[in-house]
Each structure stands twice: as structure tokens, then as C-alpha cells.
Amino acid sequence: VCSSDLDQVSIVSVSTPKTENKFSIDGRVNIRYLNVDLSSGNKIYRKIESVFVVKSYFRKVDYQTFIIGVGTYPILISTLLPRREQLIKIGFQVSSYASIKHLWFILRWLLFRRLNAVVSLTEKDVPMLQKLTKNVFVIPNSVSFFPDTPAELQNKTILSIGRIDFQKGYDLLLEVFSRFCLENKDWNLRIIGDGPLRETIANSIVSKGLTDRVSIILSSSEIIEEYLNASVYLMTSRTEGLPMVLLEAQGCGLPIISFNCETGPSDVINHGSDGYLIDNFDIDEMTKKLTTLCSDFGKRKEFGRNARENVKKFFPEQVFNKWEDLFHHSLKKISF
């Protein structure tokens, strides 16, 4: 939430306070907790309760305010706020259009038209979102770090980072790496993440005889060093929005190989220039391209240099300018 002149910014959380924030937040930003315990009791009741709590909070706002709902559920709550000139409601769709299913899909279809604007992370989702509202803007994530010195790309380490669940496709990742290992005996795979399928993936590592080649690290406080110590970034996600890990990998100068899922990777990777986009679930082709990069240091260096150049369009100042344009200029042309 921010005032129209952008001098007051608040984060409004429906839930209860966390014991600690994972991210550092500028001291000028206010954090408001509305104290709905979404983790206990009847979840449907709690979600309905949250609608009334949010309505009550914004009823007190009497100055022009941009309300940015981040993610499907917060966006839908914001659509239910009363139509008032001083409340400009923007939906920030951080997941891909196709990933929203069932009741959430229906609610989105019914309610997104009540928004003043929708922001998409990717170009590919724009045509679908324009069926819901005419005011759609593309603003990507920004890269969070850009080390002075990129990865040397000499360590025989392949890296993958993310939540260990079905969406991220770690079962496919292990299949690719297992086939890769048949001809490549000295490369290792490093997985950083946790999630509901961690034990399943750990068991699969054992059953495939990869315990000495694959390691799972639940988390790392030195994430930049993890990128810099790797030589290839590998992604086998089934669906994505705009993956931060790909921006981070490029910022560190890593060549990337990724399945070309419906949205996300193609917005970041230039095929054949800084990485490879592989047709979804083509394990054989991904294995071939992984072998190509791991056996050709010169190509890794070329791709890494190109990756560092490409990611500059995701620098914070570039992305912030798009948001400022949305706030200060584009919304003037939007009919409320």
C-alpha cells in the first residue's frame, strides 16, 4: 500500500506477526498486521473473516492510495473493497496464469474486472489477463544481487535451488542427472531447498545410486557463494511465474539449462546465447545439452558473459522505473 505521492508505504499483512522477517525492510516502511490466524480453525471461515478485516482497515483510509495485492488470494480480497476514488486497486499476479485452478480460477474470472490494473511478470500471460481486464502491464522481478566477480565456471558442480515439490520437477531433475552420469563421472549435483517431497527425492537419490553425486542442502546463508561455486544452473520446473533463481544465476554469470515451461524461462534465457531452453519434459535433449555445457569450458564462459549482460534489463532501477511509470503516468489514462 502506498499514498499517491509515494511518500508513505505500508505492508499490510492479513496474518499474525512472524517471530522474524527473512528479508530486511527499509525502516521507512510501516508493517501492519491484521491478526487473522489463517493457520488454525476452519480455513474457509478464516478466509471469509479476513475479507471483513481488510475492508474495515481500508474504510479508515481517506487519502488517495494505491493498494497492490500480491498473489491471487490478496488480489481477490482487494477486489472486494468498495469502489472509491481514493482507492486505486492493482493486482500483482506473481504466479503464471495457467497455474491458478478450480475455485480460484472462477473467482479470478469474476472479480479481476473490479481492479484498476493488473501487473503480470511475463509477456505470455498478457493476452489471457486482458480477457479479464483491459489494463494489463508487464513488470518483471528485479535481480537481487550482481556480484562484482562472476563464477569461474571451473568447479564440476551443477546447481538447482527451490522448493522441493511437484511443481519444481525434482523427479525430472534426478532422471536427467542420472542419465548424464552414465558418461560423466566427475560432476556433482547440488540441490538447495526443502518441501513436502524432500524425503521422496532423497529416497530416489539412494535408489538411483547417486548418494555420492547428489547432495540436498535445506538452506544456505551464503546463497551467493553457492551460485559462484557452481558452473551450470539446471531447472526442470513444470510451471513457473518469473523465477528469481534464474535471474540470480545469470547475475552470477551461470549458463542455464531449463525446460521451456509456459511462462518464465523464455523471458530470461536467450536460447543458444546464455543458456538452453528445452521442450517440456524432453529428458534426452536436456541430458545432451547438459553434457555439451559440462564438456565445453569455452562455451560455459561465453554463455556466462552473455548471461551477465542480459540480466541488466532486470536491474532494480529498470524495474522501479516501470512501477513509477504505472503509478505516475499510466494510471492517469485508466478509467476507474
Side-chain angles (χ1 to χ4, degrees), residues 6-23:
L6 306 183
D7 64 348
Q8 297 180 42
V9 179
S10 298
I11 296 173
V12 179
S13 172
V14 173
S15 63
T16 54
K18 303 289 185 183
T19 53
E20 62 177 351
N21 289 314
K22 293 183 178 181
F23 306 100

Side-chain angles (χ1 to χ4, degrees), residues 86-126:
Q86 63 264 47
L87 297 183
I88 302 171
K89 296 174 286 187
I90 301 172
F92 188 16
Q93 186 70 66
V94 294
S95 55
S96 68
Y97 182 91
S99 68
I100 309 301
K101 307 291 186 183
H102 311 304
L103 177 62
W104 297 111
F105 181 91
I106 297 170
L107 290 173
R108 179 176 63 181
W109 184 266
L110 292 172
L111 297 174
F112 266 40
R113 66 193 72 245
R114 295 171 59 92
L115 296 167
N116 299 110
V118 171
V119 173
S120 171
L121 286 172
T122 66
E123 294 283 353
K124 280 190 175 181
D125 273 345
V126 170

Side-chain angles (χ1 to χ4, degrees), residues 207-238:
S207 66
K208 290 178 179 293
L210 297 173
T211 52
D212 60 338
R213 306 284 297 276
V214 181
S215 54
I216 298 179
I217 297 87
L218 300 187
S219 63
S220 174
S221 59
E222 304 293 336
I223 198 66
I224 297 177
E225 292 302 316
E226 296 287 354
Y227 285 109
L228 295 178
N229 288 328
S231 293
V232 176
Y233 192 90
L234 193 59
M235 173 178 275
T236 51
S237 293
R238 291 178 166 91

Side-chain angles (χ1 to χ4, degrees), residues 147-193:
D148 292 335
T149 304
E152 295 183 357
L153 307 180
Q154 297 196 53
N155 293 334
K156 295 188 175 182
T157 300
I158 300 161
L159 182 65
S160 189
I161 301 174
R163 180 173 168 77
I164 304 179
D165 59 13
F166 179 77
Q167 172 199 338
K168 298 298 184 183
Y170 282 102
D171 54 329
L172 305 173
L173 182 81
L174 289 185
E175 184 59 31
V176 169
F177 188 68
S178 179
R179 296 187 190 188
F180 169 82
C181 284
L182 295 177
E183 297 182 6
N184 300 273
K185 306 300 182 183
D186 50 359
W187 282 76
N188 298 307
L189 172 63
R190 193 166 174 85
I191 297 171
I192 301 177

Side-chain angles (χ1 to χ4, degrees), residues 2 26 50 61 77 79 81 97 107 109 113 128-129 163 196 221 225-226 231 241 270 290 294-295 298 304 314 316 331:
C2 55
D26 191 300
S50 68
V61 174
I77 291 180
T79 66
L81 294 173
Y97 182 91
L107 290 173
W109 184 266
R113 66 193 72 245
M128 298 305 297
L129 289 168
R163 180 173 168 77
S221 59
E225 292 302 316
E226 296 287 354
S231 293
N270 296 298
L290 182 60
C294 290
S295 61
F314 298 101
L331 283 176

